[in-house]
Amino acid sequence: MATPRDALLDLRRAASAGLLDLDGSDPASSDAVQARETLLEPHFGAVEWSVPPSYRALLAEHNRLRCVREEEDLECEFVLVDEGELVELNADLVHLPEGVSREPGRYLSTNHLVGFAEAGYEAVWCFDVAQPGADGEYPVYYHHQDEPRARYLADGAWEEEADAVPDFPSFAAWFEAMTAAFTAAQPPAWLDEMGTPALVWLARDGIFQARN
């Protein structure tokens, strides 16, 4: 598997060739990394997590990174947000308020998710911090405000059983897949659904699994 730095170099080459636009900030400071870990305020409860190693490696290059590709009439992008945007993103689009349920008495939570990248409109790429690996990495999920990747508050079980299988096993795998999609001569069909609720269902059907 390519490292985040390898993938970043591929994005830079594609940007130099005019295939996409890439806008990166300076590296993240230690305070910016710590803010990601400590400033999240879900609407109830708490979120405890640590920045995983592969994500930290990317932050050593850029605190914020925006990648945009225009294909005919379609514009696709992902934005690895800075620490302030990360806090706002989770409050606005990721973490559910208390008391949300679809069935009487079965309350839902998304406090297991930490969004780290915008996917357009109301969609967010998230870590599932309830599933840390021995290597400090977290699996990654595509989450949409209209189709949340929720767990039941009482026991942590997934609302949708298909969500037990993550979209990507780590940040490095996710970043490699984004790079491959955005630099491909013929982008994958799922790129057209970035930012839509439909990509949640495609993810549950395993559209990303061939790359994992």
Side-chain angles (χ1 to χ4, degrees), residues 142 149 165 167 198-209:
Y142 175 85
R149 314 297 283 268
V165 179
D167 300 339
L199 190 53
V200 173
W201 291 101
L202 291 173
R204 286 170 176 155
D205 287 341
I207 198 168
F208 300 123
Q209 297 309 309

Side-chain angles (χ1 to χ4, degrees), residues 115-170:
F116 62 86
E118 296 177 351
Y121 304 102
E122 297 175 332
V124 185
W125 293 103
C126 299
F127 297 117
D128 180 4
V129 301
Q131 298 188 71
D135 57 359
E137 298 289 340
Y138 300 109
V140 171
Y141 286 80
Y142 175 85
H143 164 90
H144 195 281
Q145 189 178 48
D146 293 341
E147 288 291 344
R149 314 297 283 268
R151 293 175 182 264
Y152 288 110
L153 183 59
D155 59 8
W158 288 103
E159 181 189 21
E160 293 286 340
E161 291 183 8
D163 288 341
V165 179
D167 300 339
F168 298 98
S170 67

Side-chain angles (χ1 to χ4, degrees), residues 46-128:
V47 176
E48 295 183 6
W49 77 298
S50 298
V51 169
S54 60
Y55 179 39
R56 188 182 295 271
L58 191 283
L59 294 176
E61 300 285 340
H62 299 292
N63 191 40
R64 186 181 195 272
L65 183 70
R66 180 173 183 258
C67 179
V68 182
R69 176 165 174 169
E70 294 185 12
E71 194 75 19
E72 297 179 349
D73 294 331
L74 184 67
E75 180 179 281
C76 302
E77 73 171 5
F78 68 87
V79 184
L80 283 155
V81 295
D82 65 25
E83 69 277 16
E85 292 170 317
L86 184 144
V87 172
E88 293 178 6
L89 189 68
N90 283 276
D92 293 344
L93 296 179
V94 177
H95 293 145
L96 292 173
E98 191 170 12
V100 173
S101 67
R102 301 186 206 269
E103 305 171 52
R106 299 203 72 189
Y107 298 110
L108 298 171
S109 172
T110 50
N111 285 3
H112 56 286
L113 298 179
V114 172
F116 62 86
E118 296 177 351
Y121 304 102
E122 297 175 332
V124 185
W125 293 103
C126 299
F127 297 117
D128 180 4

Side-chain angles (χ1 to χ4, degrees), residues 169-189:
S170 67
F171 176 85
W174 170 83
F175 195 53
E176 182 182 7
M178 291 303 103
T179 298
F182 276 76
T183 61
Q186 183 64 43

